[in-house]
Amino acid sequence: MKYKTYLFDFDGTLVDSMPTFVSVMLRILDENSIKYDEGIVKIITPLGYAGTAEYFKKMGLSLPKDEIIRLMDEYAYNEYAHTIQAKAHVISVLKRLKSEGADLNILTASPHRVLDVCLKRLGIYELFNNVWSCDDFGTTKADPDIYVMAAEKLGQPVESILFLDDNYNADKTAKTAGMKVCGVFDASSADYADDIKGVSDYYIYDFSELPDLK
């Protein structure tokens, strides 16, 4: 085990939820006849619900921010509570790392309402020393400061932490903040795999590769 402290993204990294996340967000735009291009997914994924709501308002969505967030939560909750599954080998690898003494943590754009219920249903909530939503920091994963603040809470030098995410912008920002970065393949970001590799120290296609990083 090369690293002692891990900071994991949730959606698209630990769980196969990106189709749900994307469909929820785009459904709100579609219902309000707001036009968007394919690149929007890459932009909004690290922003969290509040950040995405603000971005949607800049795009012309006239609903109040609180109402946008309420709709996101309503549309997503049932899937996280009952349907979304862990990605291949995630659970077994997390248990292996934990048994070897690793410090496992989550930093995600998803709010606790959907994050916690999903982790508990999958039986892995207790594996993590910290389960953080961006909401806990009052900013997003597009802000380098969030990684520095997370490192401070962990009591570790930022450069000693391995951050794992399937999103290019989050990986790039974490790297800028000084963390070691491992890009994670997800079908939703397959078109950006080369971009992610370009800003990451490592890249894995399957979680079974994680314990053997050199």
Side-chain angles (χ1 to χ4, degrees):
M1 184 174 64
K2 183 177 177 64
Y3 291 91
K4 180 76 172 180
T5 305
Y6 295 79
L7 187 61
F8 296 97
D9 171 49
F10 176 61
D11 294 287
T13 297
L14 298 180
V15 296
D16 191 18
S17 59
M18 287 310 298
T20 295
F21 177 85
V22 171
S23 66
V24 164
M25 300 306 173
L26 299 188
R27 174 180 173 182
I28 294 170
L29 294 181
D30 291 338
E31 289 176 343
N32 291 274
S33 301
I34 302 295
K35 297 186 182 300
Y36 52 87
D37 58 37
E38 294 179 358
I40 192 171
V41 174
K42 182 178 180 181
I43 294 170
I44 66 174
T45 299
L47 297 183
Y49 283 22
T52 299
E54 291 174 359
Y55 188 80
F56 283 1
K57 287 189 69 65
K58 291 177 183 178
M59 292 176 64
L61 185 57
S62 59
L63 295 175
K65 179 180 174 180
D66 288 349
E67 175 62 10
I68 299 171
I69 294 173
R70 186 194 69 76
L71 287 172
M72 292 173 180
D73 184 67
E74 176 186 325
Y75 293 166
Y77 180 80
N78 188 62
E79 294 295 322
Y80 282 92
H82 303 291
T83 305
I84 289 169
Q85 296 297 315
K87 294 177 73 173
H89 303 115
V90 162
I91 294 176
S92 60
V93 168
L94 290 175
K95 288 181 176 179
R96 172 182 167 183
L97 292 174
K98 187 72 172 181
S99 71
E100 294 174 352
D103 177 7
L104 308 181
N105 308 276
I106 289 177
L107 175 62
T108 176
S110 287
H112 281 289
R113 176 169 155 80
V114 297
L115 168 64
D116 295 359
V117 72
C118 187
L119 290 172
K120 289 174 182 178
R121 175 174 55 81
L122 294 172
I124 57 176
Y125 183 87
E126 299 299 331
L127 294 177
F128 299 96
N129 292 327
N130 297 282
V131 175
W132 289 316
S133 167
C134 290
D135 298 339
D136 298 323
F137 293 87
T139 188
T140 76
K141 289 197 292 183
D143 177 3
D145 287 346
I146 198 170
Y147 306 96
V148 176
M149 289 188 286
E152 290 174 349
K153 286 180 177 291
L154 291 169
Q156 298 293 331
V158 67
E159 66 272 11
S160 71
I161 299 167
L162 183 64
F163 174 73
L164 297 95
D165 204 305
D166 63 298
N167 179 263
Y168 168 75
N169 287 336
D171 285 330
K172 181 180 179 181
T173 309
K175 184 66 177 176
T176 299
M179 283 188 175
K180 293 295 185 180
V181 173
C182 180
V184 179
F185 176 82
D186 189 72
S188 67
S189 57
D191 290 345
Y192 307 111
D194 287 342
D195 294 333
I196 295 172
K197 291 175 184 177
V199 299
S200 301
D201 299 283
Y202 311 96
Y203 189 87
I204 59 173
Y205 287 91
D206 187 280
F207 246 68
S208 60
E209 302 169 52
L210 180 57
D212 298 321
L213 292 183
K214 303 297 184 184

